[in-house]
Amino acid sequence: MLSHVLAAPAQLKALQSFNEVDADLMYQVLEEAGKFVNDVVAPLNRSGDETGCRFDNGKVTTPPGFRDAYQAFWQAGWPALASATEDGGQGLPAVLEAVLYEMLSAANHGWTMAPGLLHGAYECIKHHASEELKAQYLEKVATGEWLATMCLTEPHAGSDLGLARTKAVLQADGSYQISGTKIFISGGEHDLSDNIVHLVLARLPDAPPGPKGLSLFLVPKFYADGSRSEAHCERIEEKMGLHGSPTCVMRFDAATGWIVGAPGRGLNAMFVMMNAARLHVALQGVGLLEAAWQKADAYAKERRQMRAPGRGKSAAEADLIAEHPAMRRILDTQRAWIDGARVLAYRTAIELDMLKHHPDTVRKEAAQRWCTFVTPVIKAAFTQQAFYGGSECLQVFGGHGYVREWGIEQNIRDARVAMIYEGTNEIQAIDLLVRKVLADGGQAFFTFLSELQSALPAGTPSSARVVQRLKVLEEVTRKLAASAAQDASLSYWVADDYLRAVAMVLMDWAWAQIEHSKVGTGLRWSQPAQAMQRWVMPEFSMRLGIVEQACETVTL
Amino acid sequence: MLSHVLAAPAQLKALQSFNEVDADLMYQVLEEAGKFVNDVVAPLNRSGDETGCRFDNGKVTTPPGFRDAYQAFWQAGWPALASATEDGGQGLPAVLEAVLYEMLSAANHGWTMAPGLLHGAYECIKHHASEELKAQYLEKVATGEWLATMCLTEPHAGSDLGLARTKAVLQADGSYQISGTKIFISGGEHDLSDNIVHLVLARLPDAPPGPKGLSLFLVPKFYADGSRSEAHCERIEEKMGLHGSPTCVMRFDAATGWIVGAPGRGLNAMFVMMNAARLHVALQGVGLLEAAWQKADAYAKERRQMRAPGRGKSAAEADLIAEHPAMRRILDTQRAWIDGARVLAYRTAIELDMLKHHPDTVRKEAAQRWCTFVTPVIKAAFTQQAFYGGSECLQVFGGHGYVREWGIEQNIRDARVAMIYEGTNEIQAIDLLVRKVLADGGQAFFTFLSELQSALPAGTPSSARVVQRLKVLEEVTRKLAASAAQDASLSYWVADDYLRAVAMVLMDWAWAQIEHSKVGTGLRWSQPAQAMQRWVMPEFSMRLGIVEQACETVTL
């Protein structure tokens, strides 16, 4: 995928920052990552789910083996793969980090939550904290020696951060005292690392209500002198899955902390890394679906059940599950999702690299457009696919899929949360349609669509097919922009359908790239390609039909 | 639904068997059932999930309160509601039992598994067992004093019962010794009732291979003299959900039992009650979706989050979740599924009553057609909806949906199994299309479609809409029958799409009945009716489009 479909090594090597990064180095890094994930992280997945995290009087104990694995992980330099060398990182492209996290999520979603939160915290501290704070915290977070949290949500408010009430009061020494309760704090308390760095949204006494009154503060678990802060874990949640990750209720009791960035710019400081964070959640979806698919595929190739149609009598008393059309269809369709998803997710990571490192403004603008429009789509579509498509994979096992033994039911339970966090999938859809596509009447989006078209291989049948769909998408978008001008609520009703239609056309685009590339031939690639067109793409017209009908209702 | 949409009381009262059953009696029974479910069964749902069943050295302990609740349940006569009076039952219509089980599943799916298995066992013993066996077991099972199991699946074979290897050897006294291992046996061992009656598929020494070599045997846990049989529970499965129901691996060590029905007719004896069993699983789907919906609806009406589009400034700092289009859409769509599903499921129960009690052969044939074609559709469609639609309801809670506290994640975990057991949903689709619709080139199915059309209210816009869809379905079915004649595997590839299309047209039909009835007016009914057309029905054309395209591929 990286070389043949995305030409990642060539693209990245052309950048000044990565002129020593070639394909060999990239694959060597990923090979080593694969070994670490396979040998150290994957074996803890099931016991992590079964044992879970334990809470006792403010302390959280993670499942056996979790701390050792994490210590080995950061000491081997994995969290710092794409961090800047001056911060103790390795300065490698973000796309390698993306592939690493896909593997980690496939192997052990719960454990991966802890390091997964480092990267946003690192960027946040790097770009917004004072020099003093950076001196104390930046390298520790960049290397992962200390883990970090994002403390946003409060008990009375879920996605609506503007309602946050946690207070921050300035002290004589320039520090602040933070007081309030935060919920759904992944890794708020644990035994994985020797310190935990909390980034907390709070409100200064004179701040206006709503999101613009929020500032960001850093509160560590332990201060430099070794004393314990007043950031306490009150309890951890019992959840559907993700038992390896403690989801904490955190109480800040006049905890001493320091402001990160300017007062009232708290959301701004957190939202700069939103695209990267959403890409990582999209990759969790890809990883979890891959994990489910691998299990189902292996089972279907080994287990025999009944006669498949069109098969003659064989020596065995029944045919392989993989030979039954209903099961073949599930396996090919989910394979098609995973492969197409990888193209889109890795490409997004490459665009993030371009955005950061490319010298040319025009190229950077194109990268920004890609990230703007693609990120919410892949976050929503791939996390949904991990749950619904993973559930299809579970179905391949019959009754065995429902029991713990085969591991696939854990993938489904773990996957469900990704449809919710980092902005629910409904919020992604509104972000895409209302805040982005329609914000300028569709102009930037149409530029993006034409860029997609230009990037298609010339003259292939699949390109022609995608071009046709891009055209239809543009037409419906124009219709929608006109109707939305008459009824402000229209786009909120159809945002989910619209996002799905965009997801379909992006997947179609990704498969046109795969089919044109030299990535591989044979049934391994032709069956998913066919499944994509037969079973997945019909949703494109259905979704746009729903959007058009809604537009007509407004016009009438 | 029962009175206004389905005219159930009038239809049933017209039957000799139910001439003393009027609407008052029916609603009184359901009222009492509701109280029992609410007061006794529902409170055990969460603790049943959390504590689960425990296995210790062959013994299974159900969660605290489960035995007492079950003892109260059978002693109050609930399992025997629709059993014949001569067997100790109350002789009431099956439709009341259907509503009872919908409530039970909504309240506590795990607990409900135990009595849910009684009804098939009762019919099986009643129609196929010898007089001697009946004298010992029929009333005990009819009343539910003793619980029962169905021992079908074996470790090496899931859905493919023909591969079963369990042996039955005739003894001098006419009894048999049963030896083998059965898996996925719900309620194979527990402490709910004083005895357990196992119905076991096994093979006589001279039996041919495949399904026709299977016979059915009855093996109790305890014999009449109080001695223990050699039917042992080896372990119970750890599952995704349904923790209140022990899923047992059963080992039969030359356990003494007796044949039920003729040798080689084991599947026949079990499959006569298949429609009733599949209806009950469909009702589990309806119940679990209703449970998820009720939770989401209550939450959405109480919780405020952000400004909804088109709402002016209000006193509150945010609008209700229920006022946000993305959430309103989920709630209305799932409500539409539940209401339409009830019409179809209750109607199926009524048709089962007709099949059993109506004097007229023509009416019985129509009832048989309804059950034949509708049962696999509602089993697959409603269990899928319980999981996927229930997951949508979970989404209304945001992060709270993922934690145990609100109970909805349990509904989703519990619901997942219903897509698998009692014939996987893929098997339902093959049953519908291959074994039923296409078996006679579509003739019986077209008769059924014309009966659906005749049963529509005359001259309403919704009827016209349904008639149009019925016509399209018939056309595509004809095309499919022609193409399937050329390629035997075609129908296996598109069976799932075909079942979905039939589900859509049945739901549309159900809603045409609801809209025409006097069941209710206002937003409670108009919003789901609209949601059905806007968000659900577009799938009808998409699915048939997939089927048609597959037909064209064959023709080419």
Side-chain angles (χ1 to χ4, degrees):
Chain A
M1 290 289 178
L2 288 175
S3 291
H4 296 296
V5 183
L6 292 161
Q11 280 194 73
L12 293 165
K13 209 175 168 3
L15 300 174
Q16 172 73 24
S17 319
F18 303 129
N19 62 7
E20 287 172 23
V21 180
D22 59 10
D24 280 354
L25 176 62
M26 286 177 69
Y27 292 128
Q28 201 183 325
V29 169
L30 294 178
E31 185 82 13
E32 285 304 311
K35 275 184 203 157
F36 188 93
V37 171
N38 190 60
D39 298 346
V40 180
V41 182
L44 302 173
N45 189 44
R46 181 167 167 184
S47 62
D49 180 59
E50 291 183 353
T51 312
C53 296
R54 281 180 297 113
F55 174 83
D56 182 29
N57 198 23
K59 283 201 171 174
V60 173
T61 311
T62 58
F66 270 43
R67 179 181 160 90
D68 288 349
Y70 183 70
Q71 288 295 319
F73 184 72
W74 85 259
Q75 282 163 14
W78 292 115
L81 203 63
S83 307
T85 46
E86 67 266 26
D87 304 325
Q90 301 186 45
L92 288 167
V95 69
L96 293 179
E97 187 182 278
V99 181
L100 167 66
Y101 274 90
E102 186 203 316
M103 292 188 209
L104 284 168
S105 302
N108 193 332
H109 185 188
W111 183 91
T112 303
M113 290 297 290
L117 287 159
L118 279 172
H119 308 282
Y122 163 66
E123 297 284 342
C124 198
I125 294 170
K126 185 179 174 74
H127 296 293
H128 299 283
S130 67
E131 291 307 317
E132 271 174 283
L133 277 183
K134 280 202 255 187
Q136 269 195 69
Y137 295 98
L138 186 59
E139 193 177 323
K140 297 289 191 185
V141 169
T143 59
E145 182 176 350
W146 294 350
L147 283 163
T149 72
M150 295 285 192
C151 299
L152 286 72
T153 307
E154 301 195 3
H156 63 291
S159 305
D160 195 349
L161 299 177
L163 301 178
R165 293 173 192 154
T166 296
K167 277 184 200 161
V169 180
L170 181 63
Q171 305 298 299
D173 64 356
S175 70
Y176 291 80
Q177 286 198 347
I178 319 292
S179 303
T181 302
K182 297 282 179 177
I183 60 168
F184 300 149
I185 308 310
S186 295
E189 177 57 40
H190 56 70
D191 53 7
L192 299 175
S193 57
D194 297 339
N195 200 359
I196 302 172
V197 178
H198 303 289
L199 292 171
V200 190
L201 275 185
R203 205 176 282 281
L204 295 172
D206 56 351
K212 287 176 186 166
L214 294 169
S215 308
L216 188 65
F217 300 87
L218 185 155
V219 181
K221 179 175 169 184
F222 293 110
Y223 299 109
D225 64 1
S227 64
R228 180 71 164 82
S229 77
E230 294 295 331
H232 299 290
C233 177
E234 280 200 333
R235 62 179 171 91
I236 62 174
E237 308 285 356
E238 296 291 331
K239 307 188 296 293
M240 186 181 198
L242 212 68
H243 297 151
S245 173
T247 304
C248 304
V249 175
M250 295 298 293
R251 196 184 67 246
F252 295 86
D253 283 340
T256 300
W258 298 273
I259 198 161
V260 176
R265 304 281 291 164
L267 282 183
N268 183 58
M270 291 201 128
F271 281 6
V272 283
M273 67 286 303
M274 199 163 64
N275 279 333
R278 290 182 173 180
L279 166 62
H280 273 227
V281 177
L283 284 160
Q284 290 170 358
V286 182
L288 285 162
L289 184 56
E290 170 76 25
W293 185 89
Q294 285 186 14
K295 292 182 178 90
D297 182 59
Y299 187 82
K301 281 174 176 160
E302 180 257 330
R303 181 102 171 167
R304 293 179 181 275
Q305 288 270 286
M306 300 186 267
R307 285 271 158 246
R311 302 255 158 195
K313 284 269 171 200
S314 75
E317 56 186 344
D319 290 313
L320 290 172
I321 287 180
E323 293 167 339
H324 287 274
M327 299 295 114
R328 187 71 263 147
R329 176 173 165 170
I330 289 173
L331 293 168
D332 291 341
T333 302
Q334 301 317 316
R335 188 69 252 159
W337 270 102
I338 297 162
D339 291 330
R342 280 187 173 151
V343 172
L344 297 172
Y346 298 169
R347 168 78 186 247
T348 305
I350 294 168
E351 295 301 309
L352 285 172
D353 279 323
M354 294 296 158
L355 202 52
K356 218 167 178 174
H357 302 284
H358 204 284
D360 178 30
T361 316
V362 174
R363 180 66 188 85
K364 274 190 169 176
E365 280 171 7
Q368 183 63 62
R369 262 191 300 277
W370 175 285
C371 295
T372 297
F373 293 118
V374 174
T375 313
V377 177
I378 64 177
K379 191 281 178 181
F382 302 166
T383 59
Q384 178 173 333
Q385 203 59 30
F387 184 69
Y388 292 127
S391 164
E392 296 283 296
C393 293
L394 186 155
Q395 195 74 0
V396 171
F397 285 82
H400 296 285
Y402 197 65
V403 302
R404 192 178 289 167
E405 197 179 340
W406 295 89
I408 193 165
E409 64 87 24
Q410 183 192 343
N411 290 147
I412 314 310
R413 282 187 290 106
D414 285 353
R416 185 60 183 84
V417 73
M419 294 168 68
I420 299 169
Y421 62 28
E422 204 55 49
T424 67
N425 285 359
E426 290 74 19
I427 286 178
Q428 305 297 327
I430 292 168
D431 179 53
L432 172 71
L433 180 58
V434 182
R435 293 191 207 128
K436 293 172 174 174
V437 172
L438 296 184
D440 65 353
Q443 288 320 303
F445 186 62
F446 300 147
T447 304
F448 170 66
L449 293 185
S450 69
E451 285 164 345
L452 280 181
Q453 182 166 341
S454 312
L456 282 167
T460 74
S462 22
S463 289
R465 190 186 66 208
V466 180
V467 168
Q468 180 54 31
R469 289 201 169 111
L470 286 168
K471 214 176 114 189
V472 174
L473 179 61
E474 184 173 332
E475 278 165 19
V476 175
T477 305
R478 288 188 194 281
K479 209 177 281 185
L480 181 52
S483 300
Q486 291 178 264
D487 177 354
S489 67
L490 170 68
S491 43
Y492 290 83
W493 284 103
V494 299
D496 288 320
D497 299 299
Y498 188 82
L499 183 142
R500 288 295 295 178
V502 177
M504 294 293 129
V505 91
L506 286 173
M507 287 295 288
D508 203 18
W509 181 91
W511 267 98
Q513 307 290 350
I514 294 173
E515 288 175 78
H516 181 67
S517 75
K518 303 263 180 296
V519 69
T521 53
L523 292 177
R524 159 66 183 89
W525 295 96
S526 66
Q527 284 185 177
Q530 207 171 50
M532 179 54 53
Q533 295 306 318
R534 281 194 184 168
W535 321 119
V536 179
M537 290 309 299
E539 192 185 330
F540 177 72
S541 306
M542 183 186 88
R543 293 291 179 178
L544 289 184
I546 292 174
V547 173
E548 284 192 282
Q549 190 139 33
C551 291
E552 276 159 33
T553 311
V554 168
T555 315
L556 289 174
Chain B
M1 289 290 179
L2 289 174
S3 291
H4 296 296
V5 182
L6 293 161
Q11 279 193 72
L12 293 166
K13 210 175 170 357
L15 301 173
Q16 173 71 26
S17 319
F18 303 130
N19 62 6
E20 286 172 23
V21 180
D22 59 10
D24 280 356
L25 176 62
M26 287 177 69
Y27 292 129
Q28 201 183 324
V29 168
L30 294 177
E31 185 82 15
E32 285 303 312
K35 274 185 204 159
F36 189 92
V37 171
N38 190 61
D39 298 347
V40 179
V41 181
L44 302 174
N45 190 42
R46 181 167 167 185
S47 62
D49 180 58
E50 290 183 354
T51 312
C53 295
R54 282 180 297 114
F55 174 82
D56 183 28
N57 198 23
K59 282 200 171 176
V60 174
T61 310
T62 58
F66 269 43
R67 181 183 158 91
D68 287 350
Y70 183 70
Q71 289 294 320
F73 185 71
W74 84 260
Q75 282 163 13
W78 292 115
L81 202 64
S83 308
T85 47
E86 67 266 26
D87 304 324
Q90 300 186 46
L92 288 167
V95 70
L96 293 180
E97 187 181 277
V99 181
L100 166 65
Y101 273 90
E102 186 203 315
M103 291 188 210
L104 284 169
S105 302
N108 193 332
H109 184 188
W111 184 92
T112 302
M113 290 298 289
L117 287 159
L118 278 172
H119 309 282
Y122 163 66
E123 296 284 342
C124 198
I125 295 170
K126 184 178 175 76
H127 296 294
H128 298 282
S130 67
E131 291 306 318
E132 271 173 283
L133 277 182
K134 281 202 257 187
Q136 268 194 69
Y137 294 99
L138 187 58
E139 193 176 323
K140 297 290 191 186
V141 169
T143 58
E145 182 176 350
W146 294 351
L147 281 163
T149 73
M150 294 286 191
C151 299
L152 286 71
T153 307
E154 300 195 4
H156 62 292
S159 305
D160 194 350
L161 299 177
L163 300 178
R165 294 174 192 153
T166 295
K167 277 184 200 160
V169 180
L170 181 63
Q171 305 299 298
D173 64 355
S175 71
Y176 291 81
Q177 285 197 348
I178 319 292
S179 303
T181 302
K182 297 282 180 177
I183 61 168
F184 300 149
I185 309 309
S186 295
E189 177 56 41
H190 56 69
D191 53 6
L192 299 176
S193 58
D194 297 339
N195 200 358
I196 303 173
V197 178
H198 303 291
L199 292 170
V200 190
L201 274 185
R203 206 175 281 282
L204 295 171
D206 57 350
K212 286 178 186 164
L214 294 168
S215 307
L216 189 66
F217 301 87
L218 184 157
V219 181
K221 178 176 172 184
F222 293 110
Y223 299 109
D225 64 1
S227 64
R228 181 71 166 81
S229 77
E230 294 295 331
H232 299 290
C233 177
E234 279 198 334
R235 63 178 171 91
I236 62 174
E237 309 284 357
E238 295 291 331
K239 305 188 298 293
M240 186 181 199
L242 213 68
H243 297 152
S245 173
T247 304
C248 303
V249 175
M250 295 298 293
R251 195 184 70 244
F252 294 86
D253 283 339
T256 300
W258 297 272
I259 198 163
V260 175
R265 304 282 291 163
L267 282 182
N268 182 59
M270 290 201 127
F271 281 6
V272 284
M273 68 284 306
M274 199 163 64
N275 279 333
R278 290 182 173 180
L279 166 62
H280 273 227
V281 177
L283 285 158
Q284 290 170 359
V286 183
L288 284 162
L289 184 56
E290 170 76 26
W293 185 90
Q294 285 185 14
K295 291 182 179 88
D297 182 60
Y299 187 81
K301 280 175 175 158
E302 178 257 329
R303 181 99 171 169
R304 292 181 182 275
Q305 288 270 286
M306 299 184 268
R307 285 271 158 248
R311 302 255 156 193
K313 285 271 172 200
S314 75
E317 54 186 346
D319 290 313
L320 290 172
I321 287 181
E323 292 167 339
H324 287 274
M327 299 295 116
R328 187 72 263 147
R329 177 173 164 170
I330 289 173
L331 293 168
D332 291 342
T333 302
Q334 302 316 317
R335 188 70 250 159
W337 270 102
I338 298 163
D339 291 330
R342 280 187 173 153
V343 171
L344 297 171
Y346 298 170
R347 169 77 186 248
T348 305
I350 294 167
E351 295 302 308
L352 285 172
D353 279 324
M354 294 296 159
L355 202 51
K356 217 168 179 175
H357 301 285
H358 204 284
D360 178 29
T361 316
V362 175
R363 180 66 187 86
K364 275 188 170 176
E365 280 170 7
Q368 183 62 61
R369 262 190 301 278
W370 176 284
C371 294
T372 296
F373 293 117
V374 173
T375 313
V377 177
I378 63 176
K379 191 280 179 184
F382 301 168
T383 59
Q384 177 172 333
Q385 202 59 31
F387 184 68
Y388 292 127
S391 164
E392 296 284 296
C393 292
L394 186 155
Q395 196 73 1
V396 171
F397 285 83
H400 295 285
Y402 197 66
V403 302
R404 191 178 288 167
E405 197 179 341
W406 295 87
I408 192 164
E409 64 87 24
Q410 184 193 343
N411 290 146
I412 314 309
R413 283 187 291 106
D414 286 353
R416 185 60 184 81
V417 73
M419 293 169 69
I420 299 169
Y421 62 29
E422 202 57 47
T424 67
N425 285 358
E426 290 74 19
I427 287 179
Q428 305 297 326
I430 293 169
D431 179 53
L432 173 71
L433 180 57
V434 182
R435 294 193 206 125
K436 292 173 174 174
V437 171
L438 296 183
D440 64 353
Q443 289 319 303
F445 186 63
F446 299 147
T447 305
F448 169 65
L449 293 185
S450 68
E451 284 164 346
L452 280 181
Q453 183 166 341
S454 311
L456 282 166
T460 74
S462 22
S463 289
R465 190 185 65 207
V466 181
V467 168
Q468 180 55 31
R469 290 199 169 112
L470 286 168
K471 214 176 115 190
V472 174
L473 178 62
E474 184 173 332
E475 279 165 18
V476 175
T477 306
R478 287 188 194 282
K479 209 176 282 186
L480 181 52
S483 301
Q486 294 178 261
D487 177 354
S489 67
L490 169 68
S491 44
Y492 290 84
W493 285 103
V494 298
D496 287 321
D497 299 299
Y498 188 81
L499 183 143
R500 289 294 295 178
V502 176
M504 293 294 130
V505 91
L506 286 173
M507 287 296 288
D508 202 17
W509 181 89
W511 267 98
Q513 307 291 349
I514 293 172
E515 289 175 78
H516 181 68
S517 75
K518 303 264 181 297
V519 68
T521 54
L523 293 178
R524 159 67 183 90
W525 295 96
S526 67
Q527 285 186 175
Q530 208 171 47
M532 179 55 52
Q533 295 306 318
R534 282 193 181 168
W535 321 119
V536 179
M537 290 310 297
E539 192 186 330
F540 177 73
S541 305
M542 183 187 87
R543 294 290 180 178
L544 289 183
I546 292 175
V547 172
E548 285 192 283
Q549 190 138 33
C551 291
E552 277 159 32
T553 310
V554 168
T555 315
L556 289 174

